[in-house]
Amino acid sequence: PSASLSPTLTTPAMTQAGMILGTAAYMSPEQAKGRRVDRRADVWAFGCVLFEMLTGQRAFTGEDVADVLSRVLQREPDFNALPSMVPARVGQVLRVCLRKDLKQRAHDMADVRLALEGAFETAVTQTATSASVAARGRAREYLAWGLATVATLLAVGASVLYLRAPRQTDTIVRFTVPPPAGAVRPVGAGFAVSPDSQRLAFVATGADGVSRIFVRHIAAAEAQPLAGTDRAGPPFWAPDGRSLGFGKEGGLYRVALDGSAPRLLCSVPGGLSGGTWSARGVIVFASRSGLLQVPDTGGTPTPVTALDAGAKETSHTSPWFLPDGRRLLFLALADGQSRGTIWATAIDDPARTRIVESSGGAAYAAGWLLSTTATPRSLVAQPFDPEHLTLQGTPQPVRDQLSSATSVGFPGFAVSSSGVLVVDRPTPTVSQLVWMDRSGREVATVTPRASIAEFALAADERRVVARVTLPDGARALWLFDGIRPEGTRLTYEGRATRPMWALDGRHVYFTDVTGNNFALRTIAIGATAPAAFEQPGPFVHFEDVTRDGRYLVFKSLKAPDEVWIQRAGSAERRALVQGPYSASWPRVSPDSHWLAYTLSLPSGFEVFAQPFDRPGDRTQVSVKGGFGPVWRDDGRELYYEGPQGLMAVPMTGRDGALDAGTPQKLFAIRTQGAVINQPHNFEVAAHGQKFLVNTIVGDSDNDPLEVTLNWTTGLTK
């Protein structure tokens, strides 16, 4: 637990210029400056560790990271601290390893080994007294033990993560925090940094397929899961950094870091999305009706804000307490607007003060207001007076490419009051459409490796249309039919998403997204431009079409999400699934008698089925979690994704009622998981004997967090 052990960064591009990485006490000068490095940086690190083992003290020390890096750049180690028994040869090798001038440093470890063995010495320099020879023998014994453990110490040092509050210096340090071993932190998963910058809390999914909150302390090499936080929502910290708040199963909970069980503070019908904790002992959280507050000891929630119907507000989210613990910031989203508005209000006064527009939540730290620009989203800071709620100057860039920030409130960053910034900067997830048999064996690939989020399989089971995110961030629909391995691009304008085949097999339905606006389109295979859908209705996405062609199935724009059907070629429409819980991923059975879909219950996602063509009760299909149902072509089996993998359920219709059998696991799959507003991750063919799965490639879905120390360096007030 020393500043000199911080920070550690590991990245596939760890030698590129502009990247600071390694452990501060063992960083080479070129690393500390963020310049390109080569194996001479390893020579430097070896010298630091060898110096430490022979002297019992580090070559470069300091009170914090900035001090350590400053001494690396400006000072020399105290070579006088070397014990007298250390041979002159070893001292000279140390000096060559720790030269700041790259041209004067040993080129690689092979040279260092030869130098330690005396390969470059002459007969004169090899002459020594018997006493010095004896001393050298003892020193060799020390050196042998030291060299045997150098690699181990380097590995241990590189695993230490330190988030101590930095001093305001001219050095910006960035490093990444990977998810714990065996866990996956998907894009957009919630995270928070403690007020004292000592801990990170984040949501990750374990090997058992269950998401939970993990906490990583500064002195630990790995994050540890918090008991009782299974399927928890985004965490937020108590002011003292000893507890966390989170939403789970329709309730607001708090949990201490001492291992005690979480405690329910209040029920939140419909769930909550984010919260903030005041030093006054008040928690404010986002609900469907606006912001609510409750004592941190528990009680009945009371309103803080109400949605402004005149402004067509749809939600208030991302609350953030200001230093006085009474006033707070929040993001208001309105129908038809691509960006939201940051407002300030108080827990005891409903009056609002407009602050600024933002594409995500805002936060205040160290005299700065952090918010998000429009597309392409970037994090900006502006001087802010929390007493008078006023901004000064102009926004200044802090971090670009904040792709996980969303217009529905997820900020994509977290900041501590003591000056540590954490951002979520995911790279596009790389996946591939792969045919698998019923045992999970890969049979064939359909697409090249690409950033594929959505796809649809044609009725002929040969052609696939997929939405691919291109390197420049553009979204386009591509056709994969086996003729051209790289595929054929279908759309060139807008941000096409959510493709669905028409029954004729010659047209594709999709949604064109611009900000918060959703336009339903259709395009013919081979056409140069799409056409508008003639009867758009209040819908956000196409979901399915009945086999007889009579009805199209949509997801509505309402909150909570609803499932609607519309008669093809007309404006006749009605809701099929409405209620207190969001409904998504609907699919109609082949005989058009049943509708399977997913409900977002307080306990998590579950699959249900109900009559499609007449009133009737719903039947729960999944057990202990599931989403994204898909029917077999004869309707006798239903498949869905569960925590264990791809599940199969026998389905039987008797006397107008539907009987769901016991779910059975077919095989494990690795997909993007349950992503709201995205379609199924698999399709079924060959009478349930083949499955086309959007399979994640490599580790591209496991996103580390980027931590920045001294993030205000370079900003001017």
Side-chain angles (χ1 to χ4, degrees), residues 594 597 609-611 614-620 656-658:
W594 309 100
Y597 54 92
Q610 70 178 46
R614 64 190 183 284
D617 296 333
R618 65 169 59 119
T619 299
Q620 183 167 339
L658 188 64

PDB file of all heavy atoms in Angstrom, residues 594 597 609-611 614-620 656-658:
ATOM      1  N   TRP A 594     -49.899 -18.208 -30.556  1.00  0.00           N
ATOM      2  CA  TRP A 594     -49.261 -17.855 -29.286  1.00  0.00           C
ATOM      3  C   TRP A 594     -48.192 -16.792 -29.495  1.00  0.00           C
ATOM      4  O   TRP A 594     -47.569 -16.715 -30.560  1.00  0.00           O
ATOM      5  CB  TRP A 594     -48.614 -19.093 -28.628  1.00  0.00           C
ATOM      6  CG  TRP A 594     -49.539 -20.258 -28.527  1.00  0.00           C
ATOM      7  CD1 TRP A 594     -49.591 -21.346 -29.362  1.00  0.00           C
ATOM      8  CD2 TRP A 594     -50.575 -20.444 -27.570  1.00  0.00           C
ATOM      9  NE1 TRP A 594     -50.578 -22.197 -28.979  1.00  0.00           N
ATOM     10  CE2 TRP A 594     -51.214 -21.669 -27.867  1.00  0.00           C
ATOM     11  CE3 TRP A 594     -51.035 -19.704 -26.485  1.00  0.00           C
ATOM     12  CZ2 TRP A 594     -52.263 -22.172 -27.131  1.00  0.00           C
ATOM     13  CZ3 TRP A 594     -52.097 -20.199 -25.736  1.00  0.00           C
ATOM     14  CH2 TRP A 594     -52.696 -21.412 -26.058  1.00  0.00           C
ATOM     15  N   TYR A 597     -42.605 -13.797 -25.250  1.00  0.00           N
ATOM     16  CA  TYR A 597     -41.939 -12.515 -25.050  1.00  0.00           C
ATOM     17  C   TYR A 597     -41.210 -12.538 -23.713  1.00  0.00           C
ATOM     18  O   TYR A 597     -41.302 -13.507 -22.941  1.00  0.00           O
ATOM     19  CB  TYR A 597     -42.941 -11.362 -25.096  1.00  0.00           C
ATOM     20  CG  TYR A 597     -44.099 -11.516 -24.135  1.00  0.00           C
ATOM     21  CD1 TYR A 597     -44.048 -10.977 -22.848  1.00  0.00           C
ATOM     22  CD2 TYR A 597     -45.249 -12.214 -24.508  1.00  0.00           C
ATOM     23  CE1 TYR A 597     -45.101 -11.129 -21.963  1.00  0.00           C
ATOM     24  CE2 TYR A 597     -46.307 -12.372 -23.631  1.00  0.00           C
ATOM     25  CZ  TYR A 597     -46.231 -11.830 -22.366  1.00  0.00           C
ATOM     26  OH  TYR A 597     -47.273 -11.990 -21.485  1.00  0.00           O
ATOM     27  N   ALA A 609     -45.431 -16.717 -22.254  1.00  0.00           N
ATOM     28  CA  ALA A 609     -46.196 -16.936 -23.479  1.00  0.00           C
ATOM     29  C   ALA A 609     -47.668 -16.720 -23.165  1.00  0.00           C
ATOM     30  O   ALA A 609     -48.133 -17.007 -22.051  1.00  0.00           O
ATOM     31  CB  ALA A 609     -45.963 -18.340 -24.037  1.00  0.00           C
ATOM     32  N   GLN A 610     -48.407 -16.221 -24.155  1.00  0.00           N
ATOM     33  CA  GLN A 610     -49.845 -15.982 -23.989  1.00  0.00           C
ATOM     34  C   GLN A 610     -50.522 -16.120 -25.349  1.00  0.00           C
ATOM     35  O   GLN A 610     -49.850 -16.122 -26.386  1.00  0.00           O
ATOM     36  CB  GLN A 610     -50.098 -14.592 -23.416  1.00  0.00           C
ATOM     37  CG  GLN A 610     -49.803 -13.461 -24.372  1.00  0.00           C
ATOM     38  CD  GLN A 610     -50.103 -12.093 -23.777  1.00  0.00           C
ATOM     39  OE1 GLN A 610     -49.730 -11.817 -22.638  1.00  0.00           O
ATOM     40  NE2 GLN A 610     -50.761 -11.233 -24.548  1.00  0.00           N
ATOM     41  N   PRO A 611     -51.847 -16.238 -25.378  1.00  0.00           N
ATOM     42  CA  PRO A 611     -52.534 -16.316 -26.672  1.00  0.00           C
ATOM     43  C   PRO A 611     -52.289 -15.072 -27.508  1.00  0.00           C
ATOM     44  O   PRO A 611     -52.250 -13.948 -26.995  1.00  0.00           O
ATOM     45  CB  PRO A 611     -54.013 -16.436 -26.274  1.00  0.00           C
ATOM     46  CG  PRO A 611     -53.989 -17.029 -24.906  1.00  0.00           C
ATOM     47  CD  PRO A 611     -52.772 -16.451 -24.251  1.00  0.00           C
ATOM     48  N   ARG A 614     -56.443 -14.230 -29.225  1.00  0.00           N
ATOM     49  CA  ARG A 614     -57.613 -14.143 -28.355  1.00  0.00           C
ATOM     50  C   ARG A 614     -57.136 -13.825 -26.940  1.00  0.00           C
ATOM     51  O   ARG A 614     -55.966 -14.002 -26.626  1.00  0.00           O
ATOM     52  CB  ARG A 614     -58.385 -15.465 -28.361  1.00  0.00           C
ATOM     53  CG  ARG A 614     -57.584 -16.619 -27.787  1.00  0.00           C
ATOM     54  CD  ARG A 614     -58.249 -17.963 -28.009  1.00  0.00           C
ATOM     55  NE  ARG A 614     -57.499 -19.048 -27.377  1.00  0.00           N
ATOM     56  CZ  ARG A 614     -56.374 -19.559 -27.858  1.00  0.00           C
ATOM     57  NH1 ARG A 614     -55.865 -19.083 -28.979  1.00  0.00           N
ATOM     58  NH2 ARG A 614     -55.750 -20.543 -27.226  1.00  0.00           N
ATOM     59  N   PRO A 615     -58.020 -13.369 -26.063  1.00  0.00           N
ATOM     60  CA  PRO A 615     -57.620 -13.116 -24.672  1.00  0.00           C
ATOM     61  C   PRO A 615     -57.238 -14.419 -23.975  1.00  0.00           C
ATOM     62  O   PRO A 615     -57.711 -15.500 -24.331  1.00  0.00           O
ATOM     63  CB  PRO A 615     -58.873 -12.484 -24.048  1.00  0.00           C
ATOM     64  CG  PRO A 615     -59.684 -12.000 -25.201  1.00  0.00           C
ATOM     65  CD  PRO A 615     -59.409 -12.949 -26.324  1.00  0.00           C
ATOM     66  N   GLY A 616     -56.396 -14.317 -22.979  1.00  0.00           N
ATOM     67  CA  GLY A 616     -56.001 -15.505 -22.226  1.00  0.00           C
ATOM     68  C   GLY A 616     -54.906 -15.193 -21.235  1.00  0.00           C
ATOM     69  O   GLY A 616     -54.260 -14.140 -21.303  1.00  0.00           O
ATOM     70  N   ASP A 617     -54.697 -16.124 -20.307  1.00  0.00           N
ATOM     71  CA  ASP A 617     -53.675 -15.930 -19.281  1.00  0.00           C
ATOM     72  C   ASP A 617     -52.285 -16.197 -19.848  1.00  0.00           C
ATOM     73  O   ASP A 617     -52.099 -17.020 -20.750  1.00  0.00           O
ATOM     74  CB  ASP A 617     -53.931 -16.868 -18.099  1.00  0.00           C
ATOM     75  CG  ASP A 617     -55.241 -16.552 -17.395  1.00  0.00           C
ATOM     76  OD1 ASP A 617     -55.663 -15.380 -17.455  1.00  0.00           O
ATOM     77  OD2 ASP A 617     -55.833 -17.480 -16.815  1.00  0.00           O
ATOM     78  N   ARG A 618     -51.315 -15.522 -19.271  1.00  0.00           N
ATOM     79  CA  ARG A 618     -49.930 -15.768 -19.662  1.00  0.00           C
ATOM     80  C   ARG A 618     -49.369 -16.947 -18.879  1.00  0.00           C
ATOM     81  O   ARG A 618     -49.774 -17.218 -17.742  1.00  0.00           O
ATOM     82  CB  ARG A 618     -49.073 -14.524 -19.449  1.00  0.00           C
ATOM     83  CG  ARG A 618     -48.925 -14.090 -18.012  1.00  0.00           C
ATOM     84  CD  ARG A 618     -47.834 -13.015 -17.876  1.00  0.00           C
ATOM     85  NE  ARG A 618     -48.111 -11.841 -18.670  1.00  0.00           N
ATOM     86  CZ  ARG A 618     -48.269 -10.623 -18.185  1.00  0.00           C
ATOM     87  NH1 ARG A 618     -48.208 -10.433 -16.876  1.00  0.00           N
ATOM     88  NH2 ARG A 618     -48.500  -9.603 -18.961  1.00  0.00           N
ATOM     89  N   THR A 619     -48.415 -17.635 -19.488  1.00  0.00           N
ATOM     90  CA  THR A 619     -47.740 -18.783 -18.892  1.00  0.00           C
ATOM     91  C   THR A 619     -46.252 -18.492 -18.790  1.00  0.00           C
ATOM     92  O   THR A 619     -45.638 -18.078 -19.780  1.00  0.00           O
ATOM     93  CB  THR A 619     -47.951 -20.044 -19.753  1.00  0.00           C
ATOM     94  OG1 THR A 619     -49.343 -20.332 -19.833  1.00  0.00           O
ATOM     95  CG2 THR A 619     -47.213 -21.237 -19.159  1.00  0.00           C
ATOM     96  N   GLN A 620     -45.666 -18.694 -17.611  1.00  0.00           N
ATOM     97  CA  GLN A 620     -44.231 -18.493 -17.486  1.00  0.00           C
ATOM     98  C   GLN A 620     -43.506 -19.702 -18.058  1.00  0.00           C
ATOM     99  O   GLN A 620     -43.795 -20.845 -17.722  1.00  0.00           O
ATOM    100  CB  GLN A 620     -43.816 -18.279 -16.033  1.00  0.00           C
ATOM    101  CG  GLN A 620     -42.327 -17.996 -15.879  1.00  0.00           C
ATOM    102  CD  GLN A 620     -41.941 -17.476 -14.516  1.00  0.00           C
ATOM    103  OE1 GLN A 620     -42.778 -16.950 -13.789  1.00  0.00           O
ATOM    104  NE2 GLN A 620     -40.675 -17.614 -14.146  1.00  0.00           N
ATOM    105  N   GLY A 656     -57.005 -25.077 -26.018  1.00  0.00           N
ATOM    106  CA  GLY A 656     -56.869 -23.629 -25.967  1.00  0.00           C
ATOM    107  C   GLY A 656     -55.919 -23.124 -24.911  1.00  0.00           C
ATOM    108  O   GLY A 656     -55.808 -21.910 -24.717  1.00  0.00           O
ATOM    109  N   ALA A 657     -55.254 -24.046 -24.212  1.00  0.00           N
ATOM    110  CA  ALA A 657     -54.281 -23.643 -23.190  1.00  0.00           C
ATOM    111  C   ALA A 657     -52.896 -24.099 -23.617  1.00  0.00           C
ATOM    112  O   ALA A 657     -52.743 -25.068 -24.360  1.00  0.00           O
ATOM    113  CB  ALA A 657     -54.655 -24.241 -21.839  1.00  0.00           C
ATOM    114  N   LEU A 658     -51.889 -23.407 -23.125  1.00  0.00           N
ATOM    115  CA  LEU A 658     -50.512 -23.702 -23.483  1.00  0.00           C
ATOM    116  C   LEU A 658     -49.794 -24.282 -22.278  1.00  0.00           C
ATOM    117  O   LEU A 658     -49.841 -23.733 -21.176  1.00  0.00           O
ATOM    118  CB  LEU A 658     -49.792 -22.431 -23.954  1.00  0.00           C
ATOM    119  CG  LEU A 658     -48.389 -22.604 -24.536  1.00  0.00           C
ATOM    120  CD1 LEU A 658     -48.452 -23.425 -25.825  1.00  0.00           C
ATOM    121  CD2 LEU A 658     -47.759 -21.244 -24.815  1.00  0.00           C
TER     122      LEU A 658
END
